[in-house]
């Protein structure tokens, strides 16, 4: 495991330990975060921890054209009860993601410093949010980093059932229409798998990541 200093560089991802932990330390500057995502690395740590940088193998991804829409979800989509916007409430979405209850998880990795860092990326036009509204109330959404041919999903929330799925489906359809290769979901969860996400090797993910737009 490598300890980072002020130099803007990361070790080769193949140096990550079996759990995917690659490096410790550094900062959350826009430049370092962008370099991380472009290299197949992401930060994930608790509030009382040093910054931890990860590059797991295998990697959970969702190919936009493979998103799974159940019959009940299709009915929800067709009812017209929800509307989706992009970048209308980035800060609110990331705050709601931080507050969201996740079974088996104590606290949140979306600390104040993380929020500030991703808001800076949002102002630079790199981080984006997708919001789901019901009667002008924010009820779901997600945010992530858009690298052009890869969208690095960070987190999502639902205040009303299925609204995070609603946001993800909208994102997937948008990305499919512009020939985006993949949505990076980082780590396996049963919820993501139920939506069509799958595990691929880190090597394959890096090949996709390094492909020209």
């Amino acid at each position: 495991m490598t300890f980072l200093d002020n130099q803007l560089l990361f070790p080769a991802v193949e140096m990550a330990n079996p759990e995917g932990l690659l490096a410790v330390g550094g900062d959350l500057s826009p430049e370092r975060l962008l370099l991380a995502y472009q290299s197949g690395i992401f930060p994930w740590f608790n509030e009382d921890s040093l910054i931890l940088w990860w590059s797991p193998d295998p990697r959970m991804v969702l190919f936009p054209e493979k998103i799974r829409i159940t019959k009940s979800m299709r009915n929800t989509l067709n009812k017209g009860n929800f509307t989706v916007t992009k970048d209308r409430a980035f800060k609110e979405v990331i705050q709601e993601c931080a507050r969201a209850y996740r079974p088996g998880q104590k606290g949140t990795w979306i600390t104040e410093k993380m929020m500030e860092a991703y808001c800076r990326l949002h102002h630079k036009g790199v981080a984006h949010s997708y919001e789901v509204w019901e009667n002008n109330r924010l009820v779901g959404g997600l945010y992530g980093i858009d690298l052009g041919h890869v969208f690095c999903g960070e987190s999502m929330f639902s205040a009303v059932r299925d609204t995070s799925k609603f946001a993800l489906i909208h994102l997937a359809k948008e990305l499919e229409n512009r020939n985006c290769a993949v949505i990076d979901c980082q780590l396996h969860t049963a919820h993501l798998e139920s939506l069509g996400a799958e595990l691929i090797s880190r090597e394959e993910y890096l090949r996709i990541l390094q492909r020209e737009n």
Side-chain angles (χ1 to χ4, degrees):
M1 183 172 54
T2 301
F3 286 86
L4 303 179
D5 54 24
N6 292 330
Q7 289 184 290
L8 195 59
L9 54 82
F10 287 97
V13 294
E14 291 80 11
M15 295 178 64
N17 71 14
E19 288 72 41
L21 181 59
L22 176 67
V24 176
D27 55 48
L28 295 173
S29 67
E31 295 77 15
R32 190 182 295 274
L33 281 170
L34 269 178
L35 177 61
Y37 285 103
Q38 290 164 352
S39 305
I41 302 163
F42 60 87
W44 185 38
F45 59 98
N46 294 323
E47 191 166 10
D48 56 353
S49 165
L50 294 172
I51 301 172
L52 305 179
W53 300 92
W54 303 79
S55 184
D57 187 16
R59 188 90 169 207
M60 195 73 169
V61 302
L62 174 62
F63 295 98
E65 68 277 9
K66 291 185 178 181
I67 191 162
R68 190 173 297 141
I69 305 175
T70 63
K71 184 178 179 180
S72 62
M73 192 64 212
R74 200 172 296 279
N75 290 337
T76 299
L77 291 168
N78 292 334
K79 282 180 181 177
N81 294 338
F82 304 119
T83 57
V84 180
T85 58
K86 181 178 179 180
D87 292 336
R88 178 174 157 187
F90 183 89
K91 188 173 183 179
E92 289 85 349
V93 167
I94 196 170
Q95 287 173 337
E96 290 297 330
C97 287
R99 295 188 191 107
Y101 169 74
R102 304 180 199 279
Q105 180 182 299
K106 185 178 180 181
T108 179
W109 72 93
I110 308 174
T111 65
E112 286 293 332
K113 288 183 179 179
M114 288 281 272
M115 288 189 203
E116 292 169 5
Y118 285 91
C119 283
R120 287 194 293 269
L121 284 178
H122 174 62
H123 292 313
K124 288 182 174 291
V126 179
H128 297 283
S129 61
Y130 290 77
E131 305 90 9
V132 181
W133 306 86
E134 182 181 38
N135 299 324
N136 294 317
R137 182 170 73 98
L138 182 64
V139 293
L142 61 82
Y143 73 97
I145 307 299
D146 194 339
L147 299 179
H149 62 308
V150 172
F151 187 93
C152 303
E154 276 299 304
S155 189
M156 54 188 182
F157 83 97
S158 291
V160 172
R161 184 178 176 179
D162 289 337
T163 48
S164 64
K165 293 180 185 177
F166 199 93
L168 184 62
I169 291 168
H170 184 91
L171 169 65
K173 293 304 179 185
E174 178 187 311
L175 297 179
E176 183 180 3
N177 287 338
R178 72 175 212 217
N179 296 317
C180 179
V182 74
I183 301 171
D184 173 29
C185 303
Q186 300 176 348
L187 301 170
H188 174 272
T189 69
H191 176 64
L192 288 169
E193 186 175 3
S194 73
L195 294 169
E198 59 192 270
L199 289 169
I200 63 173
S201 69
R202 180 170 58 211
E203 183 180 7
E204 183 179 352
Y205 176 69
L206 290 175
R207 280 199 298 269
I208 296 170
L209 191 60
Q210 292 159 7
R211 194 179 303 159
E212 293 288 335
N213 288 327

